[in-house]
Every structure is written in structure tokens, then in C-alpha cells.
Amino acid sequence: MEYDYLIVGSGLFGATYACQATRQGKKCLVIDKRPHLGGNVYCENVEGINVHKYGAHIFHTNNKEVWDFVNSIVPFNRYTNSPVANYHGKLYNLPFNMNTFYQMWGVTTPEQAVAKIEEQKAEAVTKMKAEGVSEPRNLEEQGLCLVGKDIFEKLIKEYTEKQWGRKCRDLPAFIIKRLPVRLVFDNNYFNDAYQGIPIGGYNKLIEGLLEGVECKTNTDFFKSEYHDWCKYAKQLVYTGPIDEYFDFCYGKLDWRTVSFKTRVEDTPNYQGNAVVNYTSHEQPYTRVIEHKHFEMFGQAVYDCPKTVVSEEYSTEYKEEMDQYYPVNDNKNNLLAEKYRALAENEDGVLFGGRLAEYKYYDMAPIIEKVMGLVIE
Ligand code: FDA
């Protein structure tokens, strides 16, 4: 037998596993059906800019061990995610903080901001009570009770409707449990201690993780000789979709997806920020990503004469599309449980990552998970 591990999928789960196993003297083969390595963190170089082909990826974590590990593979830059919202041409800082409240109402102190929010929350509750309603019945009522009319209507309502393809009044209240507001002038989206982008892009991270590991792209597990994996390896690490592994025996799991329209703009600086959310129905897309701002700062933005922007659209999932987010409704959760039960009885196979676990993971938790596995 040639390999200790056959690893299906070269995304962060597969690549980190291969790295750890190789460091322990194991021989691995990584296969991926795509024409490139890296899974969803893969970037395409366009006009000297790393374009996040499968959606914007910002690494963030509170786990120092994970941060030190990824930085030992490739140093990370100081990118700080501070998205801006555009509502009918007016700009607001996100997440909701003192800058947002100043832009919204002209208030300058936390006390004034709290008073304004509380006044609007009370208005929403009074209106509901007048209608004989004690608990929010849908996402719209929930949002209004949590943050009041202005923030909800300008920054949440239509954006959420674009994301879900349904009216907030027709969406369940539980989708939004909390809407944190910050009473400080702080536009840093994440609360984590560490965040950034690998210097030189995510492909450098993947190349570093897979250094010295044999890899084959354009190789689909189900359509290649490796389907008969026992002939090649002692163990299988499978990071593809769990339902496909079991030949969809219980039926197909649903996904939500996003699609992107990417173009080159003949200007060095198109929107002045990596992420701009469009929070009204005026634009059909939810966000515009300007990729260079993830990695270029100050003069470097202007030293690169062009820019690449991607409009992001929430899209109904159809077969053959990229699977992005699991659908956490009852039907799909039950189906996923049935597949997980089958996976537990599959000898010599480790199911890991977002597709095989049918679970949304950020990048850092994926790495943390692999770091915690015992590789024998
Ligand atoms: P991933 O999908 O990356 O890898 C699986 C690999 O398996 C793929 O390369 C696929 O081709 C391969 N494969 C599947 N079936 C196969 C088969 N039959 N044969 C061979 N190969 C097969 N996280 C974060 O921390 N910050 C962020 O900003 C974002 N942003 C973000 C945006 C969007 C739109 C999404 C959907 C997700 C994020 N994420 C994120 C999450 C991040 O993408 C996620 O944590 C990692 O991609 C998970 O890595 P995996 O290895 O599990 O899957």
C-alpha cells in the first residue's frame, strides 16, 4: 500500500490534515476534483490582484495557537475588516457603532445614542402591543424590537430580504437572536484578538500547508481509480459532500449559494474599501468586494493601476452549483443526522470539513479542529 492517507479535498481541512500527517512522517496523497488546490480559499490572480474566487475570506481568531500556526506557514498582514453600508447612496459604518449612530442621527455621545435606540425600540413594542401581539411573530417585528426602526429599515431589512429571497415579514423571528450595538467609535467588524490575510494571498497558505505532499487536481474521488481507496491507502480522509459519499441514499441535502459578477475597473481605487454592503433593494446584489484592499495599503493601492471588483448575489441553489451554506432547517438537519450515523460506521474513514460535516465553519475553527485530531 502506497499511502498512509488518501485525502479527498485540498481545502483548509484537507490541506491542514496533510500538513500535520506529513510532519508526523505519514505519506499522504491529496486529490481534488477542481483544477486547483485550496478549496474555497483559492484566489485567482487578475491584474496583479488576488481575487477571492469563492467569496471574500477574512481570517480571524481568538486562538493564539491557531494564529501562530498559520503565521508559521505564511505571515499574515494587518487587514482589519471594517465594512461600509450603502443605503440609497448614503454611507454608514458597520458594525453598528457610534460612527453609525452619528451618521444616522447626528448624535455624538453614547448616552444620546442609547436614548435614540431605546425610544425607537419602545415605539416598536408599543405598536405591536396595540395590535395585541406580545412576542415578535416574524423577523421584521424581531428586528424592530431589537434595534428600532432606523437601523432596522436602513441597514438590515432589505439586505436580509436580498439574502433570503423573501420578505422579512415572511421570515421566522429566530433567524436574528441578537443585534449587538457598540457604544464606541470602533469599525472593526470582528471582536477577535487576531485577524488578517496571508501576505501574498491564501494560495501561499495552501502551498505552505501542502509543501512536500503529493497532490493531484482534476481528480474526482467518485470518478477515478481512487474510489477504490483501500488499494492505495490505509485510511481515507474525506472532505467532500457527505450525501454524495453515500450515493444520496436518503436523498440530497440542500444548500444556499452565492454567485459573483467580477470585473476589472480601469481605476486604482474604485470604492475605497474591501467590503461595501448594499442594504437597499435599489441594487440586486448584496455586497461589492474590491479585492485589492485585502492586501494593498497606502501607496500600494495606487502603484497597481487597475482594480477588480465582485458583485455578490444571493442565489437559489441548483444542482452543479458550488455548495456554500448548509440549510439549517428541520428537514436538512434530520437528513444530515442520518448521513452522520452512516459515517460513524464507515471503517477507516474520517469525515471532516464543511461539506462532509454539513456544517458552516469559519476558517480558524477548521484549523483548530484538525490541530486537535490525533493522527495515528
Ligand atoms: P472546502 O470547500 O474549502 O474544500 C473541500 C474541497 O473538497 C474542495 O476543494 C472540493 O473541490 C473538494 N472535493 C469535493 N468533492 C470532491 C470529490 N468528489 N473529489 C475530489 N475532491 C472533492 N471563513 C472565515 O473564517 N472568514 C471568511 O471571511 C469566510 N468567508 C466565506 C465566504 C463564503 C461565501 C463562504 C461560503 C465561506 C466563507 N468562509 C469564511 C468559510 C471557509 O470558506 C471555510 O471555513 C473553508 O472553506 C472550509 O474548508 P473545507 O476544507 O472544509 O472546505
Side-chain angles (χ1 to χ4, degrees), residues 8-14 31-34 38-41 54-60 219-222 238-241 244 258 260 324-325 352-355 360-364 366:
V8 178
S10 63
L12 269 183
F13 192 99
I31 61 167
D32 204 297
K33 65 178 179 184
R34 287 177 176 167
N40 275 9
V41 304
Y54 301 98
H57 277 75
I58 300 141
F59 197 94
H60 59 100
T219 307
D220 189 324
F221 176 63
F222 300 105
Y238 178 79
T239 76
E244 191 175 6
V258 277
F260 307 98
Y324 279 112
Y325 301 103
R354 63 181 196 99
L355 298 165
Y360 178 81
Y361 277 105
D362 269 336
M363 293 179 278
I366 285 271

Side-chain angles (χ1 to χ4, degrees), residues 75 115 121 180 195 212 256 277 295:
K121 281 164 69 173
Q195 70 178 299
R256 278 201 311 121
N277 290 11
E295 292 185 58

Side-chain angles (χ1 to χ4, degrees), residues 58-60 79-81 95 182 186-192 194-195 362:
I58 300 141
F59 197 94
H60 59 100
Y79 175 78
T80 305
N81 195 32
R182 271 188 201 160
D186 179 5
N187 298 327
N188 181 351
Y189 194 77
F190 297 117
N191 289 313
D192 289 332
Y194 312 103
Q195 70 178 299
D362 269 336

